[in-house]
Amino acid sequence: MTTRKKWTIALIAFLTVIVIGVAGGSFYLYHFAFEPTPKVLNHSSSKSKSKLKQNQAWLKRVNKQTWHETSATDHLKLVADYVPAAHRTNKTIIVAHGYMGNKEQMASYIRLWHRQGYNVLAPDDRGNGQSQGDYYGFGWPDRLDYLKWTRQVIRRVGQNSQIGLFGVSMGGATVMMMSGEKLPSQVKAIIEDCGYTSVGDELGYELNQLYHLPKFPLLYTASWVAQAKAHFNFMTASSVNQLKKNKLPIFFIHGAKDTFVPTKMVYQNYHATTVKSKQLWVVPGAGHAESYTRYPQLYQQKVSQFMAKYLK
């Protein structure tokens, strides 16, 4: 066998190993990030867990309704809790939960808004809780599902509805991604807490943090897997790009010590939208989704004042 032939075989073998490795890594990344499988990604303090447990008990006993919706794509059956205000009102807050979460995980925030006199609608995103689906949408296909939820609120609560959008973590990204869509005029304001700039940015960050791997090529090849399995290209899923089209008042909140969705992302999100009625609060000492737990009174005061300014 000639030296040239040996080099050719070696090169083919090397390229084959690379292709197999990248393909395997792409499917693994999709499986790990997008499929609803058991994972250990715990960022909650014991104080936050204790508070959540109390508020989940409240959510179980409070007067509420179960609402249903069909997803905007893939024909999935979605479920939400609707908690009517203690006194009749046309003001409703729609809350969006985080990654691997569900409506019950938002019990503390549902109670916060209920105490302020609002109706609260808390959906389970596709692939989460009681809703159908075998993948997480990271807020991108979900933004269109939430658009359908806003329309259902208007149908059921009334054309004179005033709606606020509120989300935490992935839910924060969801409401930011909604901001670039043509929303009903009844949607008046948005509050996002610790959402990411884009799905690609967040997954790339975690890829580096967990496995010390660069974004290229694995993230891009994994997006092809996601396109085939979940029917959307997560590399186009950008809060920043959507915020550039935003016309609504928006309040950005982020923990100053967030290492899951790095704090620097909130500045990119804040600067992406050109609306004058925007606010930013970087919460001292707070980790991921811990701002409310760390400063409960101040958090409640700030979000309540902001939303009351636009839902009149």
Side-chain angles (χ1 to χ4, degrees):
M1 186 182 296
T2 65
T3 302
R4 184 176 179 180
K5 193 171 183 179
K6 287 179 180 179
W7 274 107
T8 302
I9 292 171
L11 181 60
I12 292 170
F14 175 74
L15 291 174
T16 301
V17 169
I18 293 294
V19 169
I20 291 172
V22 169
S26 302
F27 278 92
Y28 175 78
L29 180 57
Y30 176 82
H31 169 74
F32 179 80
F34 288 85
E35 292 183 346
T37 54
K39 304 174 183 69
V40 180
L41 295 171
N42 187 8
H43 301 280
S44 299
S45 65
S46 56
K47 184 179 178 182
S48 180
K49 289 177 183 175
S50 174
K51 182 178 180 180
L52 176 60
K53 193 172 181 181
Q54 293 172 15
N55 289 322
Q56 285 176 331
W58 167 84
L59 185 60
K60 279 186 178 179
R61 63 177 184 266
V62 73
N63 174 44
K64 61 181 178 293
Q65 304 163 13
T66 301
W67 286 16
H68 300 273
E69 188 55 84
T70 304
S71 63
T73 59
D74 291 354
H75 308 291
L76 302 170
K77 294 178 181 177
L78 307 177
V79 178
D81 278 348
Y82 176 74
V83 184
H87 303 286
R88 189 179 180 88
T89 181
N90 64 337
K91 300 174 185 178
T92 304
I93 307 297
I94 300 177
V95 302
H97 65 73
Y99 181 66
M100 291 175 56
N102 53 44
K103 55 189 183 298
E104 286 76 23
Q105 293 292 322
M106 294 298 285
S108 298
Y109 300 99
I110 295 170
R111 195 174 191 182
L112 182 160
W113 292 115
H114 185 262
R115 281 173 174 160
Q116 299 303 310
Y118 295 99
N119 308 312
V120 185
L121 181 69
D124 279 338
D125 291 7
R126 52 176 76 190
N128 295 269
Q130 295 175 287
S131 291
Q132 291 182 337
D134 57 4
Y135 61 86
Y136 300 135
F138 281 87
W140 191 242
D142 312 283
R143 80 194 192 285
L144 303 178
D145 299 340
Y146 276 80
L147 183 54
K148 294 189 73 173
W149 284 119
T150 66
R151 291 170 181 156
Q152 184 169 166
V153 168
I154 294 163
R155 288 197 306 271
R156 298 177 71 151
V157 178
Q159 287 295 319
N160 65 338
S161 287
Q162 296 187 58
I163 299 171
L165 306 178
F166 173 84
V168 178
S169 192
M170 185 182 80
T174 302
V175 297
M176 285 190 286
M177 290 170 179
M178 287 179 74
S179 75
E181 301 301 315
K182 188 175 181 181
L183 299 170
S185 61
Q186 289 88 345
V187 180
K188 303 297 184 183
I190 300 171
I191 299 177
E192 80 83 21
D193 185 337
C194 63
Y196 36 79
T197 49
S198 73
V199 178
D201 287 347
E202 179 60 20
L203 291 181
Y205 171 78
E206 290 301 324
L207 195 61
N208 180 262
Q209 290 291 107
L210 296 173
Y211 304 107
H212 308 292
L213 292 171
K215 291 173 69 170
F216 184 84
L218 209 52
L219 207 60
Y220 298 88
T221 51
S223 72
W224 302 342
V225 179
Q227 181 74 63
K229 287 178 166 282
H231 316 125
F232 74 99
N233 180 358
F234 67 75
M235 294 302 286
T236 65
S238 170
S239 301
V240 166
N241 288 343
Q242 291 291 92
L243 285 164
K244 289 175 181 176
K245 299 179 280 184
N246 174 49
K247 299 291 190 296
L248 292 174
I250 184 165
F251 185 12
F252 299 88
I253 302 171
H254 215 104
K257 292 190 176 180
D258 193 335
T259 56
F260 187 64
V261 176
T263 307
K264 66 179 183 180
M265 288 190 178
V266 75
Y267 297 105
Q268 294 171 264
N269 287 329
Y270 177 78
H271 291 301
T273 188
T274 57
V275 294
K276 292 181 180 179
S277 46
K278 63 179 180 178
Q279 292 183 27
L280 172 63
W281 181 31
V282 177
V283 184
H288 186 65
E290 288 292 315
S291 298
Y292 183 30
T293 303
R294 195 166 184 87
Y295 299 100
Q297 298 303 322
L298 184 58
Y299 188 100
Q300 181 171 301
Q301 177 188 330
K302 282 180 175 287
V303 298
S304 300
Q305 285 179 350
F306 181 85
M307 204 62 88
K309 189 175 178 181
Y310 302 103
L311 274 65
K312 298 177 181 177

